[in-house]
Amino acid sequence: MNMYQKRKIRAEKKNNNQEEKLTKVVLNWYPGHMAKTKRQIAEDLKLIDIVIEILDARIPIASQNPDINKLIQNKKRIIVLNKSDLADKNQNEKWIRYFKNKGDLAILVDSNSGKGIKECINAIRKCYEAETYVQKGRIGKSIRIMILGIPNVGKSSFINRISKKASAQVGNKPGITRQKQWIKVDDNIELMDTPGVLWPKFENEQVALNLAYTGTIKDDILQTIEIGFQLLKLLVKNYRKNIIERY
C-alpha cells in the first residue's frame, strides 16, 4: 500500500467519524419544554374541532412529527405544505397526490405571499360542515383549529397571513413560539397556536440532516460547516444546474 492510499484511507475514516459525530449531536436535540408542550397539546385537543398540520414543502416526510398521528387520533386534519415557493415545483404536485392517496387533504401554501390561504379557509369550512359536526350540535359556534408542526416550518407566518394581522411572533429560527395562544381569524374561526415540537429520536441520519438544512434545529448545537458540506453534496447531486445558474 503506497503513501497516497494510506492518506486516502485516513481521510475516509476522518470523514466517517465527523459524520457520526454530527449525527449524534443532531439526534439528541429534544429540549425539556417540548415534552411538556406535547402533554399540553394532548390535553388541549379535547377543545379542538380540526387540526392543521403544517409541514415544510421541501421536506414533507422529514418535517412530519410521527407523534402527531397518535395525538390527534380521529380528529379531522388538513395538511399545509408551507414554503411551497422554496420547494421543487415538480415535486409539489407529487406530494399532494401522495397525501391524497393516504386519505389526507394537503394544500400548497406560501405564507409570505398568501398563496393557498384562501384554499385553506375553504377547506376548514367544508370540513366543519361535515355531518359529524352537525351531530355534535356545533353548528353556529366558532370553528376551533389547532395549528401543529415542528419548529421553523412557518406556523406563525401562516397564522399571521390567515388572520390578516401580526398575531404571532415570527423569526427565521426555531423556538420563537414558546406558549399556546388563541387567535381569532373571523367571527367563525379561532386558531390555537402551539410551540413547535420535535420527537425524541429521529429515524435516520437523512431525516436529521434535512431538518438541520431547513433550520429546524438550533445552529448553536450543530457543526454548521459540516452541515453546509453535506448540503452542498446533496445539491450538486440533485440540483447541479440550479447551482450553476445561481453561482
Side-chain angles (χ1 to χ4, degrees), residues 191-226:
L191 304 178
M192 178 187 283
D193 187 15
T194 60
V197 180
L198 289 169
W199 53 107
K201 187 174 182 180
F202 304 138
E203 299 80 31
N204 55 58
E205 180 181 348
Q206 193 55 57
V207 167
L209 286 171
N210 285 342
L211 295 174
Y213 297 154
T214 51
T216 295
I217 301 169
K218 287 188 175 182
D219 286 347
D220 57 6
I221 70 163
L222 298 174
Q223 286 84 30
T224 53
I225 293 176
E226 290 297 329

Side-chain angles (χ1 to χ4, degrees), residues 8-237:
K8 184 178 179 181
I9 291 173
R10 285 199 297 269
E12 289 176 350
K13 287 182 178 179
K14 182 178 179 180
N15 287 335
N16 290 336
N17 290 337
Q18 288 176 332
E19 290 186 9
E20 182 180 357
K21 182 179 179 182
L22 166 65
T23 304
K24 288 180 179 178
V25 172
V26 173
L27 291 180
N28 288 337
W29 197 60
Y30 187 64
H33 75 271
M34 289 189 180
K36 180 180 178 181
T37 297
K38 180 180 172 182
R39 292 192 294 269
Q40 187 62 54
I41 287 172
E43 183 65 25
D44 290 338
L45 275 167
K46 299 173 184 177
L47 308 173
I48 298 302
D49 299 309
I50 301 168
V51 168
I52 290 182
E53 183 181 12
I54 299 187
L55 307 180
D56 189 321
R58 298 169 293 180
I59 52 165
I61 300 301
S63 62
Q64 188 168 42
N65 187 335
D67 292 340
I68 295 296
N69 285 330
K70 302 172 187 176
L71 286 173
I72 66 174
Q73 296 182 357
N74 296 323
K75 294 284 183 182
K76 292 285 186 179
R77 171 169 54 180
I78 299 169
I79 292 177
V80 167
L81 296 175
N82 199 25
K83 305 186 181 183
S84 61
D85 58 310
L86 302 178
D88 186 332
K89 292 179 173 56
N90 294 325
Q91 297 296 321
N92 281 342
E93 294 302 326
K94 292 181 181 180
W95 284 116
I96 293 293
R97 292 194 294 271
Y98 168 83
F99 285 109
K100 182 178 181 180
N101 290 337
K102 291 185 64 177
D104 292 319
L105 171 63
I107 301 171
L108 293 171
V109 170
D110 171 11
S111 294
N112 290 327
S113 69
K115 180 182 178 181
I117 294 297
K118 184 177 180 180
E119 288 85 345
C120 289
I121 293 176
N122 291 338
I124 289 170
R125 298 191 188 284
K126 184 176 180 180
C127 186
Y128 187 74
E129 291 168 359
E131 184 179 354
T132 52
Y133 294 112
V134 175
Q135 294 173 348
K136 291 179 180 179
R138 292 276 308 148
I139 298 302
K141 298 181 180 180
S142 293
I143 310 170
R144 296 172 298 198
I145 315 292
M146 178 180 282
I147 307 296
L148 291 178
I150 66 173
N152 211 36
V153 289
K155 296 188 299 299
S156 296
S157 296
F158 173 81
I159 288 171
N160 289 343
R161 177 61 67 172
I162 199 171
S163 65
K164 299 179 181 178
K165 52 181 177 283
S167 303
Q169 187 178 358
V170 176
N172 188 28
K173 59 181 180 179
I176 293 296
T177 302
R178 296 302 295 268
Q179 59 185 1
K180 68 176 183 181
Q181 59 176 327
W182 284 100
I183 296 101
K184 200 171 185 64
V185 174
D186 56 30
D187 291 338
N188 302 112
I189 299 177
E190 289 182 287
L191 304 178
M192 178 187 283
D193 187 15
T194 60
V197 180
L198 289 169
W199 53 107
K201 187 174 182 180
F202 304 138
E203 299 80 31
N204 55 58
E205 180 181 348
Q206 193 55 57
V207 167
L209 286 171
N210 285 342
L211 295 174
Y213 297 154
T214 51
T216 295
I217 301 169
K218 287 188 175 182
D219 286 347
D220 57 6
I221 70 163
L222 298 174
Q223 286 84 30
T224 53
I225 293 176
E226 290 297 329
I227 292 289
F229 174 68
Q230 296 293 337
L231 176 58
L232 185 58
K233 286 202 303 183
L234 175 69
L235 294 176
V236 168
K237 179 180 178 181

